[in-house]
Amino acid sequence: MLTLSREEARRIAVRAQFLDAYRPESLLEVMDQLTGVQIDPTTAIARSQELVLWSRLGDAFSPADLAHALEVERTVAEHVTLLRPMADMGIVLAVADEWVHPSTRAWVEANAGFRDRILARLCAGGAQTTATLPNDPEVPYASTGWDDERNTGRMLEVLCLRGEVAVSGREGRRRLWDLAERVYPADLHVPPPDEARAIRDERRLLSLGIAREKPLRSPAEPSPLGPIGLEAVVEGVEGTWRVHPDVLGAEWAGDRAALLSPFDRMVYDRDRALDLFDFEYVLEMYKPAAQRRWGYFALPILVGDRLIGKLDAKADRKKGVLTINAVHEDIPFSPSDADAVDAEIAALADWLGLELRR
């Protein structure tokens, strides 16, 4: 069993996420390493998926690059709530149906005609938004209220999970749906489910570097990783961890500052962030303003192998301004920390094309 210091464990995690001084060469290199980037429409600063990619690629990344990869090159796919490398879609689709709840599966089976009408409309008319597709189920979807009248959207999401339809692009914020065979490559290899799970879990651990056997469940990903990789203990932290062997010998490229989306894989597992980084975080956008400690969409601040604070900022594109409401210091910033964070905030404003206002 490996014994790691907290610093060694943190560096494994940061390095695996391309957040040390190494800068990847392309969007596809980032996607391949991260395996999944969560989609979120919040634009308090920029959309989460864009922040994730900018934090790795810097000014070399433009949101137009992502749209091109999704809609023209087809090297990236949008699947449910994640962006995935298209090369991984075979292993994703091989086991994706396991995410369909039995009650939802029964609802789909009870609406075979509804399903067929949606597929027929897509077949005849090509890519379309939900609004132009049939919404006439034999059995309406029973909900707790938040998704009433969303029968078509619910059916499309299940068909997407199962690989019958796929997102072919976006019309503004609205997804364009099409038959999967028109979006995924014809030679997409879908391995047997057991083989697909093994590949998926190994790639996920490689992306994380170090994780619990049961990391915090994230959207469209299973919770358990199981006993894969190398078993390890981290000094001062209870329990055991799994470490991917490929990240152990990787060289630390040096420190840098990074501003992270709250949905970034680096910090999404709040328990891991607390265990390894002593970093507490709660996304406060759903809280009343008076109850927020850090801000509506506060960005975790990474410097080197330490998560040291949060940035509360707001982008006003109409006024052309990025307003910094507060920089919360979880631990007092050293002068070099403060300089690195200030430089990264200025780089964020430049990337957004906004005037920086404090």
Side-chain angles (χ1 to χ4, degrees), residues 14-340:
V14 171
R15 208 165 47 222
Q17 282 285 294
F18 285 167
L19 286 168
D20 61 356
Y22 170 74
R23 288 289 192 178
E25 295 183 0
S26 68
L27 184 154
L28 193 55
E29 183 184 356
V30 176
M31 290 300 308
D32 183 62
Q33 178 63 21
L34 270 54
T35 73
V37 173
Q38 186 173 338
I39 301 166
D40 189 86
T42 307
T43 55
I45 299 172
R47 291 177 184 173
S48 177
Q49 57 272 26
E50 296 169 1
L51 281 171
V52 169
L53 294 168
W54 170 76
S55 66
R56 276 73 176 179
L57 293 163
D59 289 343
F61 170 70
S62 165
D65 299 335
L66 179 58
H68 190 76
L70 283 162
E71 300 176 22
V72 180
E73 295 179 339
R74 301 290 194 200
T75 52
V76 176
E78 178 178 338
H79 187 251
V80 193
T81 60
L82 293 178
L83 300 177
R84 302 272 198 185
M86 184 65 81
D88 280 359
M89 284 309 301
I91 62 174
V92 172
L93 295 177
V95 294
D97 195 41
E98 67 189 26
W99 281 89
V100 182
H101 192 275
S103 63
T104 302
R105 187 175 289 112
W107 176 78
V108 172
E109 292 173 354
N111 282 286
F114 179 39
R115 166 191 169 275
D116 291 346
R117 288 190 290 277
I118 289 176
L119 293 177
R121 181 72 65 83
L122 289 174
C123 181
Q128 299 173 59
T129 65
T130 303
T132 63
L133 293 169
N135 187 19
D136 56 351
E138 288 79 15
V139 180
Y141 185 72
S143 76
T144 56
W146 70 271
D147 54 1
D148 285 342
E149 305 300 325
R150 291 188 67 249
N151 295 287
T152 306
R154 189 60 178 160
M155 179 64 78
L156 287 166
E157 288 167 1
V158 177
L159 297 181
C160 181
L161 272 171
R162 300 190 338 186
E164 296 184 68
V165 303
V167 178
S168 68
R170 291 264 176 169
E171 192 175 84
R173 289 195 175 190
R174 297 182 298 173
R175 290 177 290 187
L176 287 168
W177 297 93
D178 205 345
L179 299 179
E181 64 197 52
R182 294 175 179 160
V183 178
Y184 301 146
D187 59 352
L188 186 69
H189 174 61
V190 181
D194 287 346
E195 179 184 341
R197 290 187 190 96
I199 297 171
R200 175 197 63 191
D201 293 345
E202 188 272 339
R203 283 186 44 69
R204 187 178 176 204
L205 181 58
L206 178 62
S207 173
L208 292 167
I210 180 170
R212 300 285 192 183
E213 286 191 17
K214 293 184 178 180
L216 184 70
R217 177 178 175 139
S218 58
E221 291 190 308
S223 176
L225 281 168
I228 63 175
L230 303 174
E231 190 173 13
V233 292
V234 178
E235 293 172 350
V237 181
E238 294 183 357
T240 59
W241 298 77
R242 313 306 302 192
V243 178
H244 198 286
D246 288 0
V247 301
L248 283 176
E251 182 179 352
W252 180 254
D255 294 354
R256 72 174 176 96
L259 305 173
L260 307 178
S261 162
F263 300 108
D264 196 297
R265 191 189 284 276
M266 180 68 214
V267 293
Y268 189 88
D269 188 333
R270 313 300 191 211
D271 294 336
R272 187 182 80 145
L274 192 59
D275 284 341
L276 299 182
F277 295 85
D278 288 321
F279 184 73
E280 180 188 2
Y281 186 88
V282 176
L283 181 61
E284 297 180 318
M285 61 191 289
Y286 304 110
K287 288 186 175 185
Q291 296 179 19
R292 295 173 189 150
R293 290 180 290 172
W294 305 308
Y296 177 83
F297 197 74
L299 305 186
I301 300 172
L302 177 75
V303 175
D305 63 8
R306 298 167 301 136
L307 288 161
I308 63 172
K310 292 99 176 171
L311 171 67
D312 179 13
K314 172 68 176 176
D316 187 329
R317 289 164 180 81
K318 289 184 178 179
K319 295 181 178 179
V321 171
L322 176 67
T323 300
I324 307 303
N325 298 314
V327 177
H328 301 280
E329 299 183 20
D330 289 11
I331 56 175
F333 289 6
S334 69
S336 62
D337 289 342
D339 288 345

